[in-house]
Amino acid sequence: MLHCKHLLSPLSFKRKVVAVATPNNLTSINHRPLLLPKLPGFLSMDDVTRSQPLPLASTAAKASQNNTIDPHPNYEGMKIKGRVVLMKKNVLDLNDLTASVLDRVEELVGKAVSLQLISSVNGDPEKGSPGKVGKPAYLENWITTITPLTAGDSAFDITFDWDEEIGVPGAFIIRNDHHSEFYLKTLTLEDVPGEGQIHFVCNSWVYPADKYKKDRIFFANKTYLSSDTPKPLQKFREEELVNLRGDDDDKTRELQEWDRVYDYAYYNDLGNPDKGQEYARPVLGGSSEFPYPRRGRTGRPPTETDPNTESQLKLIMSLNIYVPRDERFGPLKLSDLLAYGLKTIPQVLKPELAALLVGSHNEFNNMQEVLKLYEGGIELPDGILKYIRDSIHEELFKELFRTDGEKFLKFPVPQVIQDNKSAWRTDEEFAREMLAGVNPVAIRRLQEFPPASKLDQKAYGDQTSQITKEHIEHNLKGLSIDEAIKNNKLFILDHHDELMPYLRRINTTSTKTYSSRTLLFLENDGTLKPLAIELSLPHPDGDQFGCISKVYTPSSQGVESSIWQLAKAYVNVNDSGHHQLISHWLKTHAVIEPFVIAANRQLSVLHPIHKLLHPHFRETMNANAIAREVLTNAGGIIEETVFPAKFSMEWSSVMYKNWVFPEQALPVDLIKRGMAVEDPKSSHSVRLLIEDYPYAADGLEIWSAIKTWVKEYCSFYYRNDEMVQNDSELQSWWKELREEGHGDKRDEPWWPKMQTCEELIESCTIIIWLSSAYHAAINYGQYSIGGYVPNRPTISLHFMPEEGTPEYEELKTNPDKAFLKTFTPQLQTLLGMASIEILSRHPVDELYLGQRGTPEWTTDANMLQASEDFRKKLEGIEKRIIKMNKDEKLKNRVGPAKIPYTLLYPSSEPGLTGKGIPSSVNI
């Protein structure tokens, strides 16, 4: 089977591939291909001239029926028939009829699409013994093949003159002499002598030949370690990696959509100083002050103001930012992104138009006004419609305003208020979301009292918590604090040390907030009860004098209950920022991209680890590139909607200093946070100290399933440690990843040395876990829980009201208005809701954990079976999750807001489901 990894056109179309060989050999994502006997056979000239496709392995079948096999077949005049499945550009680019017409004209004047087979068994002495290359064969009936307007696939016959010296093809060269690119999906050869059927899985864009310096080549879908590659293919394998690295490329030029170069760059494209100094941002990466993972290089020119800052694209062109063509979103996903992205229009409106949208005030008066967003929506005034129509392409305008029932700025009702519109206010739901919300990775067990600080005392003074035993001991069910700690009953959500060094600067923006510590007690029924919240500010006389703190305790009466609600909201603001910038962006999107780049530069598509990891890198580079243009950039959605404002990405860089790759393993993380202890007798070798911890309980099941699959896979190709050590591509990948991709951490002692099978298995398991299950747990519940902003605010505009002030009086008389005024400014609320709605949606063409884009991803039957076993194990986990969610004893799995914990449920339907584990970080 031949694997064609590369893309060659403007919009990558990575849908679930139906790899059609012939009408008798339909395969799907859930079925394996029919395995054919490897019998010699050939097609007669009568077969070649037939207009209809041949049945599968027709000559092999004839030979089988006659029970006779010619040991010395005559191959003279023999033809090998094949079928190519592709999508023409006009299907992908809004029915670009110009492209279709020009391609047909090219066909008429003799410019066609040709393929040449490359031998995997015989070299060509005249060319230094690379694989023998066959004669060109051409796609047939391009002009008369009508492109369907629905699925988009077009199938073309192709006939090769058989050359006995080719033997078994191990690759092929394709040349596109048309005007336009197309998306090549598969090539299937029938009745190859000694081999039977060969299926080439390509899923790659092929641009016109004049766009490339080197021929496009696709390899057989067989799997080889670098040292085991058939000699005739070795040079082609090496040259393909040279092309992907861009070793011969001009490093100073701007990369174009047809380029296939994977290279590194700093995050020097976040700022836009040409727009004004308030839009200047520091370069992240390449310094000890601001270390950061690397991103993909685009080669855009520097800004006029600062030569160290890369220029940005205009907003409407942001979807065209360069990433290697094979990494781009498919058209179905892109269409959804455009349609739902319309709700983020407030970001780009002029001030006077923004005022048209929200009226004369920028705050909600009461909770009912917030609820109207889900009941009626907001119509676009004519002035805004005209502005949008004048600012963007007509086709894009039509796409954005498609008539599919989605009303502008009408939002789906989030799960958190579907059953009960006030359950979010309860202390139990506030605490439960630390175990089963969208940031269940921050809480830790308290092991000392009072909570201490790790900040440098010389720089920040005494930062020890001001929470005393008088604040909490009366709520410990008769236990002393020491007894509660010893019995694993006390927990903390600590956002103090990470924020305090930045808090003075953050509060110079429109944000007004605190660092926070929240203490919680583990009840006998497994739920957590908040005990106290400490809110702190830097000392007004200087950082070296420490901080000033105030401690709040639960209350349900009078103004104290309103103050307690505000205190919980300040904690949620901090937790939301930590979630979005650290748990989500930094620890999935940013840290995974170097793995993607290094793998494509150093691991051939023939390499087993490339095949293992490839589904988990799908579209990550494109998601990150677009994010840098509209989310994380200066003045972007993150800065507008998350409390650190213009310091957001800078803060994430400082937090990257604490990132340790081996600690991203779920069991290691749980033990480090004190949420679990090692226990060889437990099913996953760790025992949870909060048994009803949905994220951890489900996560350990998924982690173990992934690790079992990875171990079986790696053990199949690496029988001992020496094979790991001697694998040149694997060692180059790991070396480059450490020294280039995560270059600011190249000298860290904790990096696995990649010298043993166990190191390889653990590293690949971590990569897959972060790309799939961890990201799913952090991302796809954002709208379910945070879509109702009062439950999970992301910014605060005012400090806690002080007694004797007008704000305090308002809190007493109209607590909801005081709450909304502080935490839900209208424009930022709309923008934040629209953003997390997009992030929480699954596209129609989503690939979930355990799935592959094609069943023919490998020819190794053992690995196909192991992959199937992995998928079935995930199905079993789904059933257990459903069962646990129905268990009333497990109170944290549903909670007062009646939100079943399904974020680690492996499969999902398209849309806003609050469940499903996609294979990759692709949104």
Side-chain angles (χ1 to χ4, degrees):
M1 166 177 276
L2 295 155
H3 183 83
C4 317
K5 164 194 172 297
H6 320 283
L7 268 159
L8 310 143
S9 153
L11 286 176
S12 163
F13 190 81
K14 298 185 177 178
R15 300 169 61 184
K16 294 176 182 174
V17 178
V18 177
V20 181
T22 71
N24 296 328
N25 184 34
L26 292 175
T27 61
S28 76
I29 197 164
N30 296 318
H31 297 86
R32 296 189 195 160
L34 179 62
L35 298 178
L36 301 176
K38 294 186 177 181
L39 298 175
F42 59 92
L43 306 182
S44 68
M45 293 307 296
D46 289 337
D47 288 334
V48 172
T49 56
R50 286 189 212 151
S51 58
Q52 66 272 23
L54 280 173
L56 181 66
S58 57
T59 56
K62 292 174 186 176
S64 177
Q65 290 169 3
N66 297 331
N67 293 319
T68 59
I69 298 177
D70 185 353
H72 304 289
N74 179 11
Y75 296 121
E76 186 176 350
M78 177 181 169
K79 305 287 184 180
I80 296 294
K81 295 208 72 172
R83 174 165 291 193
V84 169
V85 177
L86 56 79
M87 287 186 294
K88 296 182 180 180
K89 181 190 176 187
N90 60 307
V91 173
L92 303 172
D93 283 6
L94 301 174
N95 294 319
D96 183 351
L97 296 179
T98 303
S100 180
V101 170
L102 288 173
D103 287 344
R104 291 171 190 238
V105 170
E106 303 281 14
E107 282 280 330
L108 289 172
V109 298
K111 295 183 178 180
V113 176
S114 64
L115 283 72
Q116 293 174 274
L117 300 179
I118 301 173
S119 175
S120 66
V121 293
N122 295 317
D124 189 337
E126 295 181 3
K127 296 182 179 180
S129 293
K132 178 80 173 178
V133 179
K135 297 177 181 178
Y138 298 89
L139 298 189
E140 300 165 12
N141 303 318
W142 182 284
I143 296 176
T144 58
T145 300
I146 303 300
T147 304
L149 296 178
T150 51
D153 289 358
S154 299
F156 298 91
D157 290 333
I158 189 167
T159 304
F160 295 91
D161 292 325
W162 181 247
D163 182 346
E164 191 171 353
E165 293 185 8
I166 293 291
V168 178
F172 72 88
I173 294 169
I174 186 167
R175 181 180 175 87
N176 175 14
D177 284 317
H178 284 172
H179 171 271
S180 306
E181 66 275 15
F182 54 80
Y183 185 72
L184 180 64
K185 298 183 78 174
T186 62
L187 163 66
T188 304
L189 299 180
E190 307 289 2
D191 293 333
V192 176
E195 196 72 12
Q197 184 191 62
I198 299 180
H199 195 84
F200 301 64
V201 181
C202 306
N203 293 331
S204 178
W205 287 99
V206 180
Y207 273 81
D210 61 3
K211 300 295 186 185
Y212 300 121
K213 295 179 181 178
K214 302 285 186 179
D215 289 328
R216 288 302 316 280
I217 184 170
F218 299 101
F219 291 96
N221 200 30
K222 294 184 178 179
T223 305
Y224 301 107
L225 297 178
S226 47
S227 59
D228 296 334
T229 311
K231 189 173 181 180
L233 297 178
Q234 187 68 49
K235 185 176 180 182
F236 292 107
R237 177 173 181 155
E238 293 169 359
E239 286 181 348
E240 179 66 2
L241 288 174
V242 168
N243 292 338
L244 292 171
R245 288 194 296 266
D247 288 355
D248 301 328
D249 192 55
D250 177 2
K251 302 291 185 181
T252 63
R253 74 178 181 91
E254 183 172 359
L255 294 167
Q256 303 299 315
E257 66 175 65
W258 51 81
D259 285 316
R260 303 171 53 238
V261 173
Y262 292 80
D263 205 355
Y264 302 99
Y266 299 137
Y267 275 70
N268 65 344
D269 61 344
L270 301 174
N272 189 2
D274 289 350
K275 196 175 175 181
Q277 271 307 111
E278 66 271 26
Y279 290 95
R281 297 293 180 269
V283 174
L284 305 185
S287 69
S288 58
E289 183 181 11
F290 297 123
Y292 220 61
R294 305 299 186 255
R295 63 167 176 95
R297 177 170 74 88
T298 68
R300 294 200 305 271
T303 61
E304 295 179 5
T305 309
D306 180 6
N308 293 319
T309 298
E310 185 172 285
S311 58
Q312 294 184 341
L313 298 173
K314 291 183 179 179
L315 180 65
I316 200 58
M317 297 299 294
S318 60
L319 293 178
N320 288 330
I321 184 172
Y322 173 79
V323 292
R325 196 60 194 85
D326 284 359
E327 307 297 334
R328 295 285 290 271
F329 290 153
L332 289 179
K333 182 170 185 172
L334 193 61
S335 176
D336 281 349
L337 198 63
L338 289 172
Y340 292 106
L342 176 58
K343 294 179 181 178
T344 64
I345 283 295
Q347 183 202 18
V348 298
L349 294 181
K350 297 175 181 178
E352 62 270 22
L353 293 173
L356 276 177
L357 183 61
V358 300
S360 59
H361 59 280
N362 188 29
E363 60 192 47
F364 296 99
N365 287 307
N366 51 59
M367 294 295 179
Q368 192 57 41
E369 286 190 3
V370 181
L371 293 173
K372 283 182 180 179
L373 293 174
Y374 315 106
E375 296 165 359
I378 298 177
E379 295 286 355
L380 275 180
D382 291 339
I384 292 180
L385 274 173
K386 184 177 187 305
Y387 172 77
I388 298 171
R389 185 186 292 275
D390 292 345
S391 301
I392 65 176
H393 191 277
E394 182 179 355
E395 289 291 343
L396 182 58
F397 183 86
K398 291 177 182 177
E399 174 62 27
L400 291 173
F401 288 88
R402 60 189 187 182
T403 56
D404 61 357
E406 290 288 344
K407 187 177 181 180
F408 181 71
L409 288 189
K410 179 184 178 183
F411 293 90
V413 180
Q415 277 184 288
V416 74
I417 57 169
Q418 282 180 6
D419 186 80
N420 185 324
K421 289 183 172 56
S422 61
W424 64 274
R425 296 180 186 263
T426 65
D427 288 357
E428 185 180 344
E429 182 62 25
F430 169 71
R432 187 194 77 91
E433 290 180 13
M434 299 178 196
L435 301 174
V438 292
N439 197 35
V441 295
I443 189 172
R444 61 180 175 86
R445 181 163 52 92
L446 187 67
Q447 300 183 53
E448 60 182 349
F449 188 88
S453 170
K454 294 182 180 179
L455 292 176
D456 181 1
Q457 276 208 351
K458 291 181 180 179
Y460 296 102
D462 184 6
Q463 296 281 338
T464 304
S465 173
Q466 299 302 304
I467 300 175
T468 66
K469 69 176 184 178
E470 286 77 21
H471 287 122
I472 68 172
E473 204 160 51
H474 61 284
N475 278 325
L476 300 184
K477 299 292 178 69
L479 298 175
S480 68
I481 290 177
D482 289 341
E483 288 172 333
I485 290 175
K486 183 178 179 180
N487 293 326
N488 303 321
K489 288 286 192 177
L490 288 178
F491 295 83
I492 183 169
L493 182 67
D494 193 343
H495 293 307
H496 182 89
D497 281 7
E498 67 191 33
L499 281 175
M500 186 55 68
Y502 264 81
L503 202 52
R504 198 181 298 275
R505 278 174 285 176
I506 289 171
N507 284 337
T508 64
T509 70
S510 60
T511 294
K512 299 294 179 283
T513 194
Y514 306 87
S515 64
S516 62
R517 293 182 175 112
T518 306
L519 295 194
L520 306 105
F521 179 74
L522 179 62
E523 300 274 22
N524 292 332
D525 64 359
T527 62
L528 290 172
K529 178 173 71 175
L531 297 173
I533 292 172
E534 179 183 25
L535 300 180
S536 304
L537 287 170
H539 198 285
D541 295 334
D543 290 347
Q544 70 273 23
F545 294 102
C547 62
I548 53 173
S549 301
K550 191 165 183 180
V551 178
Y552 301 88
T553 55
S555 177
S556 59
Q557 300 295 323
V559 70
E560 287 79 13
S561 69
S562 299
I563 289 173
W564 176 244
Q565 288 293 334
L566 291 181
K568 290 191 294 183
Y570 285 114
V571 171
N572 278 333
V573 167
N574 290 347
D575 198 57
S576 294
H578 181 278
H579 160 260
Q580 199 64 273
L581 291 165
I582 313 305
S583 302
H584 184 200
W585 168 260
L586 175 65
K587 291 188 175 181
T588 61
H589 289 264
V591 302
I592 286 295
E593 185 162 0
F595 288 89
V596 180
I597 298 171
N600 282 281
R601 286 168 56 87
Q602 300 296 344
L603 296 177
S604 166
V605 294
L606 296 166
H607 197 282
I609 300 304
H610 186 286
K611 290 182 187 292
L612 173 68
L613 297 179
H614 184 254
H616 307 290
F617 295 158
R618 179 177 184 252
E619 299 176 348
T620 298
M621 290 185 71
N622 202 177
N624 288 1
I626 293 175
R628 296 196 310 272
E629 293 293 306
V630 298
L631 287 176
T632 62
N633 59 309
I637 292 174
I638 291 292
E639 290 193 357
E640 290 292 322
T641 63
V642 180
F643 78 88
K646 68 179 183 179
F647 299 105
S648 292
M649 290 295 284
E650 184 178 327
W651 180 53
S652 76
S653 167
V654 173
M655 297 301 291
Y656 175 62
K657 294 177 181 181
N658 302 322
W659 183 80
V660 177
F661 177 71
E663 291 178 358
Q664 308 313 301
L666 178 60
V668 177
D669 170 64
L670 292 171
I671 291 170
K672 180 188 177 186
R673 290 191 285 119
M675 303 301 290
V677 293
E678 291 188 45
D679 184 357
K681 296 180 181 179
S682 297
S683 56
H684 307 294
S685 298
V686 295
R687 177 170 54 86
L688 294 176
L689 297 181
I690 300 179
E691 183 180 349
D692 185 14
Y693 183 179
Y695 161 76
D698 296 356
L700 285 170
E701 293 275 348
I702 300 292
W703 168 270
S704 296
I706 293 171
K707 188 161 187 178
T708 298
W709 152 240
V710 171
K711 184 175 183 178
E712 189 166 354
Y713 184 91
C714 291
S715 299
F716 183 78
Y717 296 103
Y718 297 90
R719 296 182 296 278
N720 51 57
D721 294 344
E722 288 74 22
M723 294 183 72
V724 173
Q725 297 161 15
N726 295 330
D727 185 342
S728 60
E729 286 187 5
L730 182 73
Q731 295 302 322
S732 295
W733 169 58
W734 199 247
K735 182 176 187 291
E736 181 173 290
L737 170 73
R738 298 192 320 270
E739 296 182 0
E740 298 290 338
H742 282 280
D744 296 330
K745 288 184 171 286
R746 63 169 62 86
D747 297 324
E748 296 285 0
W750 43 252
W751 280 110
K753 301 296 187 280
M754 203 54 71
Q755 295 296 296
T756 67
C757 293
E758 183 52 42
E759 286 180 322
L760 174 62
I761 291 165
E762 182 76 358
S763 297
C764 289
T765 303
I766 291 173
I767 294 167
I768 294 172
W769 163 257
L770 290 178
S771 301
S772 59
Y774 175 85
H775 179 257
I778 297 299
N779 182 67
Y780 289 97
Q782 289 193 76
Y783 191 80
S784 299
I785 293 170
Y788 185 64
V789 176
N791 178 56
R792 197 161 174 80
T794 60
I795 52 178
S796 56
L797 301 182
H798 306 285
F799 290 122
M800 183 75 80
E802 296 289 339
E803 194 167 2
T805 64
E807 290 78 14
Y808 192 86
E809 291 303 311
E810 183 178 51
L811 187 62
K812 289 168 63 175
T813 59
N814 194 343
D816 278 356
K817 183 166 185 179
F819 183 101
L820 294 170
K821 184 184 294 185
T822 301
F823 298 110
T824 55
Q826 229 182 56
L827 266 180
Q828 288 94 326
T829 295
L830 294 174
L831 189 56
M833 288 168 61
S835 302
I836 62 173
E837 182 190 354
I838 295 170
L839 294 176
S840 301
R841 283 185 176 274
H842 294 296
V844 174
D845 60 349
E846 192 81 272
L847 270 183
Y848 296 95
L849 185 63
Q851 294 181 338
R852 291 274 174 166
T854 172
E856 297 88 3
W857 64 275
T858 181
T859 57
D860 293 325
N862 288 350
M863 292 302 93
L864 287 171
Q865 184 59 54
S867 178
E868 179 70 9
D869 293 343
F870 176 44
R871 190 181 63 79
K872 288 182 177 177
K873 187 172 291 186
L874 294 174
E875 290 177 355
I877 293 172
E878 288 186 353
K879 294 175 182 176
R880 288 196 291 277
I881 290 174
I882 293 173
K883 184 178 180 180
M884 286 189 292
N885 284 345
K886 294 178 179 178
D887 188 344
E888 294 182 359
K889 295 178 183 177
L890 302 176
K891 296 182 180 298
N892 295 325
R893 297 202 68 91
V894 176
K898 306 298 182 190
I899 308 175
Y901 189 74
T902 56
L903 293 177
L904 287 173
Y905 190 90
S907 67
S908 177
E909 306 78 39
L912 204 60
T913 65
K915 64 179 181 179
I917 303 177
S919 291
S920 62
V921 180
N922 60 17
I923 188 65

